[in-house]
Amino acid sequence: MNDAVEARHRKAKAKPSARPSREQAEEAVRVLLRWAGDEPEREGLDGTPARVVRAYEEWFAGYGEDPTDMLQRTFEEAGGYDEIVLLRDIRFESHCEHHMAPIIGRAHIGYLPRNRVVGISKLARLVEVYAKRLQIQERMTAEIANTIDRVLNPHGVAVVIEGTHTCMTTRGVHKSQATMVTSRMLGVFRDHAETRQEFLSAIDLRGNRGAPASI
Ligand SMILES: [Zn+2]
């Protein structure tokens, strides 16, 4: 590749692609309907493109939100509290970036405050912001932990996510019971086995209970 071509490629890559119009998005849904083998013109599918596009606005609302801002606006002084703050079983719905298929799961977040805490609903909102984007579970886990670490500067952060990937349960290898578990441990949760263990026993991973899939 010569220099001029390479420069053009770089430029094309750096330029954020313009957001298509609602009409263009609906037209794209009609193309997929035809691709699936149906006729977008038939009565039952009349409102489908518009509904799919509205659903996308909900499923991918996370692109319009800044998670750092959200946490920054809301922290408070911890008032001497120096034990683990834990929010477990935060249900989320996301979509895998490889198939755009739903990932349904639960996130568990723990942190050991240094001097700042956030309202627990903000932790749930943080999960939501990252979930409502195209994701891979590993990255989502790291993003949540890193944002808490950066904004609250705690002694440590622990994030565990359990997810069922419908691209794997409903197609491909069809493993309907498989759950993926990912974790990111920072600070004391990474360095001290005891603190990590306290967190892991508190979150009660589904596998430990031996219960059937409830998510
Ligand atoms: Zn996938």
Side-chain angles (χ1 to χ4, degrees):
M1 198 183 290
N2 67 36
D3 284 356
V5 173
E6 209 177 284
R8 245 197 331 274
H9 273 250
R10 258 204 315 275
K11 213 169 155 196
K13 234 179 163 179
K15 196 172 138 222
S17 48
R19 193 175 193 212
S21 67
R22 180 171 296 270
E23 289 67 35
Q24 286 173 314
E26 290 180 11
E27 187 48 38
V29 176
R30 282 186 203 99
V31 171
L32 287 176
L33 286 170
R34 276 184 223 108
W35 173 250
D38 217 314
E39 294 155 20
E41 298 74 24
R42 74 176 172 84
E43 206 186 331
L45 293 177
D46 199 30
T48 298
R51 278 191 294 268
V52 170
V53 168
R54 281 200 298 276
Y56 265 47
E57 288 178 308
E58 212 174 303
W59 289 333
F60 302 112
Y63 287 108
E65 299 189 69
D66 182 337
T68 304
D69 264 12
M70 200 194 72
L71 279 191
Q72 242 157 9
R73 276 201 309 271
T74 57
F75 72 83
E76 306 158 23
E77 298 307 309
Y81 183 85
D82 61 356
E83 298 291 335
I84 295 174
V85 176
L86 178 76
L87 187 61
R88 64 183 182 199
D89 292 326
I90 309 164
R91 191 197 138 101
F92 69 86
E93 297 108 24
S94 190
H95 288 79
C96 81
E97 70 182 26
H98 301 134
H99 304 91
M100 301 180 78
I103 305 170
I104 310 291
R106 303 185 304 160
H108 315 280
I109 299 177
Y111 69 101
L112 189 62
R114 193 184 304 273
N115 43 37
R116 292 167 160 191
V117 291
V118 281
I120 49 167
S121 68
K122 296 300 173 213
L123 294 180
R125 289 279 300 121
L126 183 66
V127 171
E128 185 103 320
V129 170
Y130 283 118
K132 300 251 177 272
R133 299 175 180 190
L134 289 171
Q135 279 294 3
I136 62 168
Q137 190 177 318
E138 296 89 331
R139 188 180 62 226
M140 179 171 151
T141 309
E143 282 174 338
I144 292 169
N146 294 350
T147 301
I148 296 171
D149 193 48
R150 198 174 58 246
V151 179
L152 299 184
N153 187 30
H155 291 293
V157 184
V159 176
V160 169
I161 293 183
E162 304 168 74
T164 299
H165 294 238
T166 55
C167 62
M168 182 176 162
T169 57
T170 66
R171 57 165 290 289
V173 290
H174 291 277
K175 297 297 175 208
S176 62
Q177 295 299 311
T179 305
M180 182 169 172
V181 180
T182 47
S183 69
R184 178 135 174 113
M185 304 283 163
L186 299 172
V188 287
F189 293 95
R190 191 187 53 213
D191 300 337
H192 297 137
E194 223 172 276
T195 312
R196 184 167 57 245
Q197 201 43 53
E198 191 184 334
F199 170 77
L200 289 173
S201 20
I203 65 173
D204 190 20
L205 284 177
R206 199 178 74 195
N208 291 346
R209 291 200 295 272
S214 58
I215 52 175

